[in-house]
Every structure is written in C-alpha cells, then in structure tokens.
Amino acid sequence: MVQHFAPTGVLRAAINLGNPILAQKDATTGLPVGVSVDLATGLAAKLGVPLKLVVFDAAGKSVDAVSTEQADIGFFAIDPLRGNAIAFTPPYVLIEGSYLVKQDSPLTRNEEVDQAKHTVVVGKGSAYDLYLSREIKHAQLLRSPTSPTVVDFFVANGADVAAGVKQQLEADAERVPNLRLLPGRFMVISQAMGLPKSRGDEAAKYLSQYVEEMKASGFVAQALKRHRIEGAAVAP
C-alpha cells in the first residue's frame, strides 16, 4: 500500500490554510496545525513513512497539487468538479457556509441574495465558489484570491455580500466594523480526504477506511476539541 500513497518514499500532504477549521498557523511556532495535519500525521504513521506538509493558502491550489500528483493526499470539500481527478473518502467534518453583509444592508435572509443587482464575493476555487457558480442564477460573483481575503476584498470593492466559512466570517465581523452575518446557512460542506484517482481503487478504499476509523475512534472529535474549533461537526 505504501507505493500507492508514497511513491517518492514520503507522504506529501497538501494542507490548505485558507480554511481555519481544517488548519492554521500556530501562533508560537508558525507551523501548520489542525485536524487535517493530525489526520495526515496519523496516516503517515500507519503507513510507516515520513510526512511532508505541502502548504497552500487556498483550496484551489491544494486541489491542483493533488490532481497533478505534486501531493499524495489532501483535505477538500467534496465537489463533483474536483471529483474528475480526485477520489474522495466519506466526509469527516461538516462545515456551514454563510453570507455576510454590511450592517445597513437591506438583506435579512439568504434567499434574498440571488438578485441581479447584487455582487457576491467568494474565494477563488473554494467550495463556495464551485457551489455558488452552479446555484447563483442572477447575482454576479466576484472572486478574491483566497478565502481568508474575502471580507477585505468585499469591503474594498463595495460588494453586497461575502460568502464563506461561517467561523472565518464571524472572526472578520469582529475585526471589521459594521458587518453582520445573515442568519442560518446557504450550504453545508462535507470535508473529506482525497488522493489522485490514478492511485487506484485499492488505495482509495484504504483511505476511506482510515477516515471511518478516525471518526469512530473519536480521533476527529478530539482533534476539533484540541484545536478549539467550534461550529464544525464530525460527519456521521
């Protein structure tokens, strides 16, 4: 199984810092930490190979790395478009996607967003970008370079709505004055592990079993608690 996951002798894990629920930089060491890092570490130990973290600031870059086999595994929101090159496991975490608006915006409900007069900012290549590109029929989508830059891009461009991970938007609303989140959510994102489809069905099955074991053992729940992540639920 090692040759399927680590053909170079090292397990290269794509880590996306664009989603703070999955990974972020440790304030003291500057190194990536989070549930995705813990899962990558656990898999490398199980396979008996060294681990190399390949760190990105946006989901799209992480997807590209695994799709082109510059990385062996990654952590992604499940999306049919990404499924062309990547084999996904069952989800390990469910995350809510929310909308953010200015305090004086007339918008009060998610259902009011999709109107021709509105501009909605999303992180380029993020799960929200892929989802809203399919679902939004009338509003115009604007793309910021990464998910963490969505709110600053939204403010700088005078857009109507920002879309993204609920926790990221909540943190930005505390940092930037006169912003508020619309109640509820517009989507639930299923976060999974993935590997290049070219690695074969056996490897995909092995990775899926690993994820199910990590959920069943309480590993994922403990990792979320250890990293003080709120608002994300362990997938059933």
Side-chain angles (χ1 to χ4, degrees):
M1 193 52 66
V2 170
Q3 71 273 16
H4 293 298
F5 281 96
T8 64
V10 175
L11 181 67
R12 300 166 301 171
I15 301 295
N16 169 31
L17 294 178
N19 184 337
I21 285 177
L22 303 184
Q24 47 197 302
K25 280 186 181 177
D26 182 271
T28 308
T29 65
L31 298 172
V33 293
V35 62
S36 60
V37 177
D38 293 349
L39 283 168
T41 303
L43 181 62
K46 189 176 169 76
L47 293 167
V49 295
L51 174 67
K52 180 185 179 183
L53 300 181
V54 189
V55 181
F56 298 98
D57 62 358
K61 296 175 186 177
S62 188
V63 169
D64 290 342
V66 175
S67 299
T68 58
E69 301 202 42
Q70 302 302 304
D72 304 304
I73 60 165
F75 301 82
F76 316 104
I78 297 172
D79 186 89
L81 198 61
R82 294 172 175 176
N84 291 333
I86 294 173
F88 291 108
T89 67
Y92 61 92
V93 163
L94 303 178
I95 301 172
E96 292 183 337
S98 294
Y99 288 134
L100 173 141
V101 297
K102 297 182 183 76
Q103 198 71 52
D104 60 0
S105 169
L107 293 170
T108 57
R109 298 185 306 121
N110 294 326
E111 294 76 17
E112 297 166 351
V113 168
D114 191 12
Q115 298 181 48
K117 61 184 178 181
H118 294 150
T119 49
V120 181
V121 177
V122 289
K124 184 180 179 182
S126 67
Y128 313 95
D129 183 5
L130 299 176
Y131 176 84
L132 292 174
S133 294
R134 289 192 298 270
E135 298 298 321
I136 290 286
K137 307 302 181 195
H138 308 289
Q140 180 190 355
L141 292 180
L142 300 178
R143 292 171 177 86
S144 69
T146 66
S147 291
T149 59
V150 161
V151 169
D152 290 331
F153 191 92
F154 156 81
V155 172
N157 287 273
D160 301 294
V161 181
V165 178
K166 187 175 185 179
Q167 286 74 11
Q168 178 78 55
L169 296 180
E170 284 174 338
D172 287 328
E174 289 181 13
R175 176 177 65 85
V176 182
N178 301 317
L179 301 177
R180 61 183 168 84
L181 268 72
L182 294 185
R185 64 198 185 196
F186 67 85
M187 71 180 291
V188 175
I189 296 139
S190 299
Q191 289 286 346
M193 291 184 72
L195 77 167
K197 272 191 172 171
S198 55
R199 301 292 171 86
D201 293 341
E202 197 182 338
K205 196 173 182 181
Y206 183 92
L207 191 60
S208 290
Q209 287 172 342
Y210 171 70
V211 166
E212 294 295 9
E213 286 169 14
M214 293 296 99
K215 287 192 293 186
S217 68
F219 181 95
V220 175
Q222 289 160 11
L224 291 172
K225 190 174 180 181
R226 184 166 58 251
H227 297 294
R228 298 193 176 100
I229 300 302
E230 295 177 1
V234 179

